[in-house]
Amino acid sequence: MVKKRMVIILTIIQLVIFSLIGRLVQLQLVSTESFHGINLIEESVAQRTEQLIIDDGRGMFVDRYGQPLTYEYIPTLVLFPFLKKMDWPIDQIATIVSMPKETIKRQLEEAKGPIILHNGQQPIQLQPWQMERINELHIPGVIAVHKQYELEQKYAQHVIGLLGENEKLLKERYRDRTLSPKTKIGVSGLQSSFDEFLIPDGETKLLYHVDARGEPLFGMDVKYTEQANPFYPITVQTTIDRTMQQHVEQIIAQHGMEKGAVVLLDVETNDIVALASAPAMDERNPYKNEAAQNRALLPQVPGSVFKVVVAAAALENGLVHGQTFNCDRKINGEPEEKKKGMRSFEESFAISCNNTFAELGKQLIAMDKNMFDIYAQKLGLLPRVGWEGDVYHFESFRPLREEKQGKIWTDERDKHVPLAVAQTAIGQKDVRVSPLAVANMMATIARGGEAKQVRIAQKMMYKNGTTFFTFDEKRLTTDSLRQETIDKLQELLQLVVMHPEGTGRAFQSLPYTVAGKSGTAETGKEKLVNKWFAGYFPADRPKYALVVVQLETASAASVTNAIFADIVRATYELEQKGMNEG
């Protein structure tokens, strides 16, 4: 009996020993990099390593002039905590950086790890000669580096987009790559669409090994590690003008636009100069009130802005020949509250007479059920207008991947219903187009009829500054309007501003002459409308196309025109300043 008990006890002991050995094998040999989602090697190294991240390795965005839009590199001074336990030439460093050595000592005494030397609340910014002199001294634990910092001022947040940690999505996107589960990836905007090019290959950091008491383990040498690939990370040069973008965002904020969008395009290149969406995004809670949505890329009810399409189709198809239209009637035949009398086609456009375009719309659809679609595409309003093409091994790459396609009809049967056609002709019913697409239509007209894709990125560059890929200008369609039609549309858009009763007459006193079209669209919400003004300037030599839309606002409270006017003024002032400096 005793013998049997001993055998059982010994067997249990052996099983426990074998279990412990198996566990050690698992920890030390098998699951060292994936033990319950933890990389044991990394964690063990981290326990005995003091380090400072200099650069997280992710690619960056810059504006058209190379100004940073996401983060910048500040030349500054790194100090390691073991300095407070050794004699080092602090006086020399204090002299070079022009800072009392007591201030340096105090910051070191408070340090629990590597620190950036600060002057008040800000890191000190070194001059090139200071960096060179500091690093020539070869003092262990004293290193001058270019440290990566997020910009305090955020630019074009809806365009650039958000970063976030999502281990599941990270694994789905990058199955073939070994990345830390804490690697941030793009979840919206350009950060998302360019993520495959921007994802880091590794961090740049300063580090040294310590023992259990925090003392240097292998001497005082600090190791500098960086990405192995000398060409990465990639920099994306956008078409954004950082200064103009800042002005646009400030103007929107000053006028308190709660919901809407602004798009400013360069007419010649069709590049986005500035793009903003309201409300502004709070990165601490970006999805509150749907603030993360880029409303400039989402289809909205355009109202009378759509009359440009009807006007173009009517002109091309010979429906305009000096006749007058009854502007005392609504599109359903009922009397208008504000009587405007019999008006010519040109006046009807200037004062935005609904009945004129309802009648023309019905005639056009009677000729061809697809008439609105055909001319919307010729004007660069449909389908999507953002740049699209093959990039590297990505087919149909779209930088503005959140752009949604507009539409004119939801139910084809509406093309046979006169009232539905009339409502569609004035940009109501089911018509939906994005502010970006409307801006593209205005740029197409201003440019003389050539519809182009809208660019947000100019090129991608390697770390050494050489070009990796260029986003060439591309046609949106080769099917253009006749030159006489474009000339007439330009006259009509100028008349909106210059006519005494024109809906854009408030812009007559601006430093640039403006051509454009207003729009007031019913939203389906009681007494709330979308207020648009879309146009280009200077009218005689177009350089910019501009669209401002305030969504779901009380008509009397609209700030659309005020924002449009202030952006035109800001553009003028910046150009004058540039000319004077030049």
Side-chain angles (χ1 to χ4, degrees), residues 558-576:
S558 170
V559 295
T560 296
N561 284 5
I563 290 174
F564 191 101
D566 279 354
I567 292 174
V568 173
R569 291 189 191 98
T571 306
Y572 176 81
E573 290 167 5
L574 285 173
E575 294 221 333
Q576 292 300 306

Side-chain angles (χ1 to χ4, degrees), residues 30 45 76 121 134 157 181 217 239 255 287 299 358 462 468-469 524:
V30 179
V45 170
T76 192
Q121 299 298 316
I134 289 168
Q157 285 180 286
L217 193 60
T239 62
H255 288 284
Y287 300 102
Y462 288 117
F468 166 54
F469 183 86

Side-chain angles (χ1 to χ4, degrees), residues 477-488:
T477 176
T478 55
D479 191 9
S480 302
L481 299 174
R482 296 196 304 264
Q483 188 58 52
E484 55 264 37
T485 303
I486 288 293
D487 292 343
K488 186 62 177 179

Side-chain angles (χ1 to χ4, degrees), residues 166-173:
N166 187 324
E167 188 175 351
K168 181 181 178 182
L169 185 57
L170 180 71
K171 289 179 178 178
E172 288 176 1
R173 282 187 190 174

